[in-house]
Amino acid sequence: MKLWFVSRWESLRGSFWFLPTVMVAGAMALSLFTLRLDRATPDYSPLAAMGWTFAQGPEGSRAVLAAVVGSMMGITSVTFSIMIVALQLASSQFGPRLLRNFMRDRGSQAALGTFLATFTYCLLILRTVNGAEGERFVPNTSVTVGLGLALASLGVFIFFIHHAAASIQAENIISSVSRELDRAIDRLYPEGTGDEAEDPRDGGRDVPEAFDREAEPVASRSSDYLQAVDLDGLMALAVERDLIISIPSRPGKFVFEGGELALAWPPGRLRDGDADAIRAAFYLGARRSPTQDVEFAIDQLVEVALRAAPNDPFTVINCIDRIGAGLCRLAARRMPSPYRHDGEGRLRLIADRSTAAGIVDAAFNQIRQATREDAAVSLRLLECIASVGRRARNPEMIAALRRQAELIHHGAVAGLAEAADRSDADSRYVRALRSLVPAKSPPGEVGEDADGAATSPAPGR
């Protein structure tokens, strides 16, 4: 149930309508409150006692409210136009997958909601102003609150102009995606994750030999991206039915209609409705989600870098720096085991997970392939690997970083025309290798020689 709320909340946050709708509803409630206050105390209110109320009679009140209503609609139109232009610019310059970040931007949503809420409030108050004899009613407090909302909207509009200009700057976009990557790492690999997890090889020994041959598949009924999996729900079902459930696809992967969502062993133990219960634990959608997909934000940073290459190396380097910061954060965490056991130590779930090697490859492969002839980017990639390598403890991550360093160095040596650039690449490559070797490596291995100098394979020029 918690994952369902998280999934729905993620969807609501990415919509333009949710926060403005909530604010409009709040404006309607505020209008009912201020009108009730005006009717209950027609000759007195806290604002009137301080001399702050608008008291220009019914005609003056109508004119002011009408002016606010008209101006709010104009400001809303301008705001919506600016947002559409920002979305078009983001889609063309940074990639269509970045549109989600713009749509879920709270500043833009709050600005749009403020203007619509002010419009709604003043319109509801305007309809109650009555100047007829015997039925005269001028809600002075409500009109004054409307004026206050109009002044607040003016301040929000000034903020929105600045916010819109700042939000389309490459540095701010990259920083926003980087923060999302950090949140995903903290959520999926919190401090201490994996400390109590068993060795994956030990967990693999609990898998029955006949599992691959006999496991009963549960097919998907649609073709969509796997956004999240309710592992707790699957664990409860596996314990109740005495099953081992395998999840062959991890969040972020595309699942085809009729493809395997899960495999259940032993065969024939699923009862009526169990297959549907298993399907209900898988959340599918038209696009990927960062809920359980740590590679989602990395792919966004990679996409920005690829669109900037080769004409804007500074943006590419900015993306590399942010990717490196995320990998340094991840390097301090242990990767959880794909095998989950119940309280009695029996294997119940086998969940496909993002591996350290897969995350490193996703971070570097495409950038490395697209920028092999750019000296500045190649050098920064090697420096990034050295920084991550100094923090890495996972042997799988260290091996993946070493492989990427070798590929980057080989591409730089082959692609760079200047000998000085190749020499710089050699030195950065040596530093990267030294960071990926235990501190007490024996002389003769890549790292340090007997005199403490850096050593590496001969550069292949």
Side-chain angles (χ1 to χ4, degrees), residues 237 241 270-278:
L237 178 63
R241 297 288 187 263
L270 292 177
R271 302 178 186 175
D272 292 340
D274 286 348
D276 290 334
I278 291 176

Side-chain angles (χ1 to χ4, degrees), residues 157-205:
F157 184 65
I158 296 173
F159 156 78
F160 174 75
I161 296 298
H162 166 77
H163 180 75
S167 65
I168 58 177
Q169 296 178 21
E171 294 83 357
N172 293 330
I173 294 173
I174 295 169
S175 177
S176 174
V177 178
S178 176
R179 289 193 297 270
E180 186 174 64
L181 174 60
D182 291 342
R183 289 192 295 268
I185 292 173
D186 291 340
R187 182 175 61 253
L188 299 176
Y189 308 99
E191 294 286 354
T193 292
D195 290 344
E196 296 80 18
E198 67 278 0
D199 189 320
R201 293 169 295 181
D202 294 338
R205 296 192 184 103

